[in-house]
Amino acid sequence: MGKSNADLIKKAMADKSFNEPGEIYFSCSSTTKIKAHDGEVASFSYADTSGLGTRVVSGEKMGLSYTEKVNEESIANCFSTARENSQFIPDDKGYAIYESDEVKSYDQFKSDDLENISVDQKKALALEIEKQAKAYDKRIVNVPEAMYCDVSNERIIANSYGLYKSEKSSLCYAYAYLMATEGDDTTVGFYFQGEKNFKDLNPEKIARMAAQDALEKLGAGEIESGSYPVVFSAFTASSLLGAFINSGGSPFFGENIQKGRSKLDGKLGESIAASHINIVDDPSLFSLGTASFDDEGVDASKHYLVENGVFKMEMHNIYSGKRGGKKTTGNGSRGYSSSLSTRLFTPYLETSDKSEDALLKEAGKGIFITDLEGLHAGLDQISGDFSVAAKGFLIENGTLGKAVKNITVAGNFFNFLQEIVSVADNIRFNDEAEFSSPSLLVKALSVSGK
Amino acid sequence: MYSQDFYNRLLTMALKNGGDYADIFLEDTDDTVLLFDSGKIKSINTGLISGAGIRVIMGGKSVYLYASNADEAKLLNLAETVSQAVKYDKTGNLGDLNHIQPGITHKIKILPSTVNQKDKLEILSRADRAAREHSTLIDEVMVRYWDNSQNVTIATSEGRFAQDTRIRTRLAVSAVGVRGDKKERGFFGPGKALGFELFERFSPESIAQEAARMALVLLEAAPAPQGKMPVVMDNAFGGVIFHEACGHALEATAVADNASVFCGKMGQQIANPVVTAIDDGTLPNEWGSQSFDDEAMETQRNVLIEDGILKSYMVDKLGSMKMDHPVTGSGRKQSYKYAPTSRMTNTFIAPGGSSLEEMIASIDNGIYCKNMGGGSVNPPTTDFNFSVAEAYLIKNGKIDRPVKGASLIGKGSDILMNITMVGKDLDYGTGMCGSSSGTIPADVGQPPIKVTGLVVGGQEG
């Protein structure tokens, strides 16, 4: 299948009936999803999907069009529609296609073993997660979702300057979402693991971590509202920071800065975080978001966004780079059906050598947050304000006390960066989050409870 | 377009190794997204979403295979492959396919495909202009226009054969207000199951002015308070509270797997007697309305809760086979890339007898929420959260100054009992709802309501 798609795309670029710069973004994926429930495979799905998007830059105008019916005729139609669409766009000097004639294929993020794993082995893994979770403790009464998924993907970017880059990648992930019950109290637990190789998925660990997550929350109580020192677990710190740093409205993205949507406007070279904070994007590290080149065909590379607390670098695609008189940083993001935006690959907060326990000791008292909900709605990237539902534990005398529920944690991202007192040593790069962070201690946040 | 014989052949193939039920879903969807920011059109993107899926259900388990660009050969291959994934000793009856005409259609006056790009783009620049003219404090405006025409063909082994076209149009405006080092965003984005006539109901100017108004209010707002307090939630998008606190936990997706707090509660009181809640996919041209669900069942008006008593769950085909409950026309999905599951359509609390003024007057110290953002819920516990987009303090029975940056949390099973007053003026708000079968258009709605015992999570102090 790969070869015929490649031929189709090369032919379409050669046959293109106009002289303006044009680009094809193609991707095809095979996806397997398996859900186990009550000792059986409750649902199985398999898919082969593909789509192709065209982009045409005509003078200082840009047009897009896409199709999921990929054939010679539809690609030609797509190009002509993109060209028509471009005619309605006012001139903008930012529009451009990557001027490169590089031809290269990549497979460094392709799984070593997924191709040789049978469907039965995948089913067995999902079933094992449920079985282990239920065996872990009799209070684990139900595992509504013991899931296994894998995706194999091929992505091709080709343009009229002669660029042709393709990448084959694959990954797998599994998670457990389960319920613990004791008396009238029900809690839910969750654990997610994503890997390049199937052999690294650990159903026992997924089951155990999800079960512990649910069991720890049983018997949780409410607390008084107030301002508390807060330690975020690595998982919750990753989610919270990722929602600000690596999503469409990120204040670090050049286009948001140029268009009045970022409070970091004019702050380049200034201190925006505590002096021990380093925020890095390193595409060479495996994560669920990494790739060898960005969605405009530019090689992905390692950058410091924040170094020793100083805002070092805005992230650009070709469009925002040109508008700002800068080069792209190789962070263009799009799919075949979406317009250009910006993204990071494997962004993370650098660790220290402190353990999570050391952070709890340093806090002395406060709250340890292990669960955040509502991040997709409870924050605003422009103002930096956030207020999200949380669960966790009291910290008393530097150790964990009783479980806490029904609270919200509220603050402001820009103050938060300044008020990170310590970071720990425990980072995971394969979380579901768009960002990886160790656990961290923040001076004080508003906690709402009783 | 294939013959009914061909669909019969696919269904027969899909069930050749057994299965209680099979269905086929084919889709060709035209989609247009227009973006406007920094005072000009930024991009025009038009495309075709096209593919198909074949599903077999056996003994409460399902197998779903799907592919893009599903031509005849691919469909035959899908049917063959799906059958190989099934080993089951029973085969459901294959009924002769019967082309079902919809009882309710949502008439479209101006199909998006008949409107030229220039006229669509004019809508965006009108919105941009209106937001900027609203106040000099409006510094940046982003406008997103979306129209979507989904053409589906669904055939089931029970003999149901339906074709449906779902047209939806939406205009969303974000306006950013700036004063000193404060930057705040207002948002308004109504959509309906309408074509270009959407703008006869909502002028682009009125949408933009509402977003700009909200940004200006937020520039004036102080941090929201903390703690448990009574809350008045205004109509329309306020209905997100019911959607999160209760709606998801009434979906068969959760109920059939014993993962909902409302399992086994049919006929019992689960809400305050002032609460009647309805999911209605038949409302003419509403955002979540369509003639058929994605399993070729006609959508219907489902009374979920009547005077506080649980009357119905929302149930898809797989759910109905797993639990003793008829289907309710609730099988929905984003596209062929998902198997359908039970989902909401237009979900709302029915009008009651109180007025907004009475509710406000009954509170010494609380919050009046005029506009909400999105939220989420864990159905097993009904622990829910949602964000507040525009809110005011209530002091001594009167609306006081604006506050910002709060989320509201609670436990749905408790909070339903705490809805103590329900107002008269029902309205709907446009939402996109994400769950296991993708992100789908769903209306939330309610008249104003008063709720006690919610935790308000602000940054004050």
Side-chain angles (χ1 to χ4, degrees):
Chain A
M1 188 171 165
K3 189 161 188 332
S4 69
N5 284 324
D7 292 344
L8 199 60
I9 289 161
K10 283 174 185 159
K11 185 161 188 318
M13 288 310 312
D15 290 354
K16 189 167 67 76
S17 64
F18 52 91
N19 293 320
E20 297 99 318
E23 176 197 72
I24 286 177
Y25 180 112
F26 171 83
S27 76
C28 63
S29 321
S30 305
T31 310
T32 301
K33 282 191 183 178
I34 296 165
K35 181 171 108 169
H37 186 64
D38 284 345
E40 292 183 276
V41 174
S43 70
F44 174 84
S45 93
Y46 179 80
D48 275 316
T49 53
S50 57
L52 181 144
T54 56
R55 198 154 64 124
V56 173
V57 172
S58 152
E60 294 192 340
K61 301 172 184 300
M62 185 273 297
L64 298 165
S65 182
Y66 66 94
T67 183
E68 292 182 354
K69 267 188 186 153
V70 181
N71 58 46
E72 221 176 296
E73 192 193 344
S74 69
I75 301 175
N77 284 339
C78 233
F79 264 129
S80 70
T81 308
R83 199 158 167 248
E84 282 164 30
N85 285 342
S86 75
Q87 298 313 307
F88 296 99
I89 302 272
D91 286 357
D92 188 328
K93 66 175 182 185
Y95 297 127
I97 278 165
Y98 187 32
E99 288 188 43
S100 162
D101 58 3
E102 214 183 334
V103 175
K104 205 169 170 189
S105 308
Y106 302 79
D107 64 0
Q108 59 171 327
F109 298 116
K110 187 169 177 288
S111 171
D112 301 324
D113 63 0
L114 265 175
E115 278 177 357
N116 304 317
I117 304 297
S118 70
V119 171
D120 284 343
Q121 284 172 284
K122 297 172 185 178
K123 287 179 177 173
L125 188 127
L127 289 163
E128 185 66 14
I129 291 172
E130 192 199 22
K131 191 176 140 196
Q132 294 270 359
K134 284 192 164 164
Y136 186 80
D137 191 295
K138 64 178 190 316
R139 292 170 294 173
I140 304 299
V141 291
N142 191 358
V143 186
E145 289 182 44
M147 292 287 299
Y148 167 83
C149 305
D150 62 53
V151 184
S152 300
N153 182 63
E154 182 178 17
R155 184 173 58 117
I156 300 171
I157 319 270
N159 73 31
S160 52
Y161 297 108
L163 179 94
Y164 186 95
K165 281 189 176 177
S166 67
E167 176 155 44
K168 287 189 173 159
S169 61
S170 47
L171 56 86
C172 51
Y173 59 89
Y175 63 86
Y177 174 73
L178 48 74
M179 295 157 61
T181 296
E182 190 167 41
D184 288 344
D185 198 12
T186 296
T187 58
V188 298
F190 178 76
Y191 191 79
F192 176 97
Q193 187 186 9
E195 297 291 347
K196 185 170 138 186
N197 295 323
F198 184 85
K199 68 173 170 50
D200 294 322
L201 286 179
N202 184 341
E204 182 278 326
K205 184 179 179 189
I206 294 166
R208 169 167 45 89
M209 298 295 277
Q212 285 174 0
D213 183 37
L215 292 168
E216 285 171 352
K217 294 176 195 161
L218 286 168
E222 299 189 329
I223 54 165
E224 296 295 332
S225 300
S227 176
Y228 292 82
V230 174
V231 176
F232 287 91
S233 68
F235 178 67
T236 55
S238 299
S239 305
L240 182 61
L241 291 174
F244 279 103
I245 297 170
N246 189 21
S247 63
S250 169
F252 291 93
F253 292 171
E255 187 175 352
N256 293 327
I257 294 170
Q258 291 161 5
K259 294 185 173 175
R261 305 195 287 253
S262 167
K263 280 200 161 180
L264 295 182
D265 186 14
K267 299 272 174 73
L268 201 62
E270 291 181 19
S271 165
I272 60 160
S275 63
H276 61 101
I277 294 300
N278 293 295
I279 298 172
V280 191
D281 185 23
D282 186 352
S284 70
L285 300 171
F286 173 80
S287 72
L288 299 187
T290 200
S292 302
F293 54 89
D294 78 355
D295 295 319
E296 299 187 282
V298 181
D299 280 337
S301 45
K302 180 173 176 175
H303 301 295
Y304 273 78
L305 284 71
V306 175
E307 194 171 17
N308 300 324
V310 173
F311 178 26
K312 291 297 276 196
M313 198 171 190
E314 300 173 355
M315 307 316 288
H316 288 287
N317 52 36
I318 293 174
Y319 171 78
S320 66
K322 275 192 81 176
R323 282 174 59 100
K326 294 173 180 174
K327 280 183 74 172
T328 174
T329 54
N331 292 91
S333 172
R334 63 178 293 235
Y336 62 82
S337 63
S338 53
S339 58
L340 183 67
S341 57
T342 314
R343 68 153 167 157
L344 303 171
F345 294 91
T346 304
Y348 62 97
L349 184 71
E350 274 186 0
T351 54
S352 76
D353 54 7
K354 289 181 188 174
S355 67
E356 188 179 83
D357 283 344
L359 261 55
L360 297 175
K361 278 205 178 64
E362 200 175 337
K365 60 178 183 160
I367 297 174
F368 179 54
I369 301 289
T370 59
D371 199 311
L372 287 178
E373 303 271 353
L375 274 165
H376 66 296
L379 55 82
D380 184 78
Q381 286 142 325
I382 294 183
S383 66
D385 289 333
F386 65 88
S387 168
V388 290
K391 293 187 174 70
F393 300 87
L394 277 181
I395 305 168
E396 291 163 328
N397 302 319
T399 56
L400 291 187
K402 70 163 186 164
V404 172
K405 65 175 180 184
N406 214 20
I407 57 170
T408 65
V409 181
N412 181 282
F413 170 71
F414 300 101
N415 299 336
F416 185 96
L417 287 179
Q418 302 277 10
E419 292 180 0
I420 299 175
V421 177
S422 283
V423 302
D425 59 359
N426 56 339
I427 199 165
R428 275 179 8 113
F429 284 99
N430 44 9
D431 272 353
E432 187 176 24
E434 303 90 350
F435 191 89
S436 301
S437 171
S439 302
L440 44 88
L441 165 62
V442 186
K443 197 156 73 183
L445 287 171
S446 300
V447 174
S448 184
K450 272 193 265 195
Chain B
M1 190 76 288
Y2 302 104
S3 67
Q4 291 197 13
D5 281 348
F6 181 65
Y7 290 108
N8 261 324
R9 186 175 155 207
L10 293 175
L11 289 165
T12 308
M13 281 175 76
L15 288 174
K16 75 176 179 190
N17 292 321
D20 298 314
Y21 168 91
D23 59 15
I24 302 164
F25 180 93
L26 262 86
E27 165 178 21
D28 270 310
T29 297
D30 290 307
D31 190 86
T32 296
V33 176
L34 310 176
L35 298 176
F36 194 107
D37 76 16
S38 294
K40 60 186 185 184
I41 300 149
K42 186 190 173 201
S43 73
I44 298 175
N45 195 5
T46 52
L48 174 68
I49 296 157
S50 173
I54 303 186
R55 177 173 66 149
V56 173
I57 298 178
M58 62 287 175
K61 318 281 180 280
S62 77
V63 177
Y64 185 64
L65 269 71
Y66 59 95
S68 324
N69 192 10
D71 55 16
E72 191 171 325
K74 259 195 198 171
L75 283 166
L76 288 166
N77 184 45
L78 277 180
E80 175 61 30
T81 317
V82 81
S83 75
Q84 285 166 12
V86 177
K87 278 189 207 77
Y88 193 60
D89 54 9
K90 283 189 288 191
T91 300
N93 284 335
L94 267 168
D96 279 343
L97 285 178
N98 180 16
H99 196 149
I100 309 158
Q101 297 307 319
I104 290 171
T105 53
H106 302 276
K107 292 203 175 53
I108 304 298
K109 218 163 88 181
I110 311 170
L111 288 171
S113 59
T114 65
V115 181
N116 68 44
Q117 221 66 291
K118 256 206 170 92
D119 292 339
K120 291 181 185 176
L121 292 167
E122 178 60 19
I123 295 289
L124 285 93
S125 37
R126 278 170 61 192
D128 176 74
R129 216 177 306 131
R132 290 174 193 277
E133 282 170 4
H134 188 76
S135 163
T136 53
L137 297 176
I138 298 300
D139 188 57
E140 166 65 323
V141 182
M142 285 157 283
V143 191
R144 185 178 193 271
Y145 166 97
W146 182 54
D147 70 50
N148 184 280
S149 308
Q150 186 191 35
N151 297 291
V152 303
T153 302
I154 307 160
T156 82
S157 62
E158 292 175 343
R160 299 184 70 83
F161 181 79
Q163 291 179 312
D164 196 12
T165 297
R166 293 96 179 241
I167 310 274
R168 291 186 173 90
T169 305
R170 185 179 194 187
L171 188 75
V173 179
S174 290
V176 180
V178 175
R179 211 182 48 205
D181 64 349
K182 275 189 153 185
K183 256 187 212 286
E184 298 287 349
R185 176 194 346 229
F187 173 86
F188 187 48
K192 298 278 177 200
L194 288 171
F196 207 60
E197 70 270 27
L198 174 73
F199 303 106
E200 294 167 8
R201 292 208 201 171
F202 295 90
S203 73
E205 286 81 9
S206 67
I207 296 170
Q209 282 156 3
E210 174 61 7
R213 184 195 63 76
M214 210 183 293
L216 298 184
V217 170
L218 288 172
L219 284 176
E220 300 292 325
Q226 303 163 349
K228 272 187 192 169
M229 60 191 77
V231 174
V232 174
M233 303 185 57
D234 213 336
N235 66 3
F237 208 77
V240 69
I241 187 174
F242 184 82
H243 179 100
E244 302 299 354
C246 183
H248 280 295
L250 296 180
E251 293 169 341
T253 318
V255 179
D257 286 345
N258 264 325
S260 165
V261 75
F262 300 119
C263 286
K265 296 273 171 76
M266 193 67 83
Q268 295 180 28
Q269 185 171 0
I270 63 164
N272 191 294
V274 299
V275 176
T276 291
I278 295 161
D279 182 80
D280 189 348
T282 72
L283 293 173
N285 300 92
E286 271 308 327
W287 182 239
S289 296
Q290 48 201 44
S291 299
F292 296 101
D293 73 359
D294 294 322
E295 300 179 325
M297 299 303 296
E298 287 180 71
T299 53
Q300 55 190 60
R301 179 182 172 89
N302 297 303
V303 176
L304 306 173
I305 296 172
E306 191 170 20
D307 303 329
I309 309 290
L310 177 59
K311 291 287 184 181
S312 179
Y313 299 115
M314 287 167 278
V315 184
D316 61 320
K317 185 73 197 170
L318 179 60
S320 82
M321 295 172 92
K322 288 161 79 170
M323 53 198 271
D324 185 22
H325 197 294
V327 292
T328 58
S330 307
R332 297 187 68 193
K333 57 184 180 177
Q334 178 180 336
S335 72
Y336 70 91
K337 291 176 184 169
Y338 299 84
T341 188
S342 51
R343 301 293 294 269
M344 290 175 258
T345 59
N346 308 299
T347 315
F348 57 92
I349 296 176
S354 305
S355 71
L356 181 62
E357 294 69 29
E358 283 174 315
M359 294 178 203
I360 306 269
S362 72
I363 294 173
D364 283 340
N365 185 27
I367 298 270
Y368 163 59
C369 300
K370 190 168 164 62
N371 279 296
M372 312 299 144
S376 65
V377 65
N378 268 307
T381 58
T382 61
D383 287 338
F384 68 86
N385 66 82
F386 55 91
S387 68
V388 178
E390 180 185 358
Y392 302 81
L393 294 180
I394 303 174
K395 291 281 177 209
N396 304 317
K398 293 206 167 60
I399 294 177
D400 198 68
R401 63 190 167 86
V403 290
K404 62 159 191 158
S407 57
L408 300 183
I409 66 167
K411 190 176 170 68
S413 50
D414 298 340
I415 292 304
L416 283 180
M417 290 292 184
N418 294 349
I419 299 175
T420 54
M421 295 171 90
V422 175
K424 295 167 190 160
D425 182 17
L426 168 67
D427 197 5
Y428 307 100
T430 306
M432 294 300 292
C433 170
S435 180
S436 61
S437 65
T439 301
I440 58 171
D443 254 359
V444 298
Q446 66 175 33
I449 62 170
K450 177 184 169 185
V451 191
T452 59
L454 283 169
V455 173
V456 176
Q459 271 188 62
E460 189 182 51

